[in-house]
Amino acid sequence: QVQLVESGGGLVQPGGSLRLSCAASGSFFSSNTMDWYRQAPGKERELVARITNYGSTNYADSVRGRFTISRDNAKSAVYLQMNSLKPEDTAVYYCHTIIRYLHYWGQGTQVTVSS
């Protein structure tokens, strides 16, 4: 059984910070690449950040320098530290991984950046 559960979303003012968490079940975690995606209303889901099992990271151009993805294999958790938040960061954020060619998604957590 593979389950991903996000938490940490909420309402924050522009320029503020938020830290998202993704708790993963199962024994797969330490060997898998983990992703954060986001989807705003009426827009396509986009890849925000990725971290491999080795700790290598990649970021969307729109968040590079502001967001940091990290993982704690002992806790089977992946995090997304979001700084200098902008209104365009408003979206539902999803944790994601692929295991044997199947996609697994968390339920999503809402992030709203507004005054």
Side-chain angles (χ1 to χ4, degrees):
Q1 178 80 356
V2 176
Q3 289 187 326
L4 305 173
V5 181
E6 304 97 332
S7 62
L11 175 64
V12 65
Q13 294 185 355
S17 297
L18 214 55
R19 183 179 177 88
L20 306 183
S21 298
C22 173
S25 67
S27 61
F28 71 93
F29 186 85
S30 64
S31 61
N32 264 56
T33 292
M34 301 295 298
D35 306 321
W36 283 101
Y37 282 77
R38 69 185 181 188
Q39 187 167 27
K43 298 183 179 180
E44 298 179 358
R45 186 170 297 186
E46 64 173 342
L47 177 64
V48 175
R50 169 169 289 167
I51 185 166
T52 71
N53 56 319
Y54 300 105
S56 179
T57 60
N58 286 284
Y59 298 93
D61 290 342
S62 59
V63 308
R64 188 176 295 108
R66 299 187 298 120
F67 291 10
T68 303
I69 188 171
S70 61
R71 66 192 298 158
D72 186 337
N73 289 343
K75 297 181 178 180
S76 295
V78 61
Y79 308 98
L80 186 67
Q81 178 66 46
M82 304 184 293
N83 298 326
S84 301
L85 283 162
K86 305 174 181 179
E88 52 262 44
D89 295 318
T90 296
V92 177
Y93 284 71
Y94 298 91
C95 187
H96 167 267
T97 193
I98 299 176
I99 304 174
R100 293 192 171 185
Y101 307 105
L102 295 180
H103 294 253
Y104 294 88
W105 299 92
Q107 84 287 351
T109 185
Q110 177 71 48
V111 172
T112 302
V113 185
S114 176
S115 298

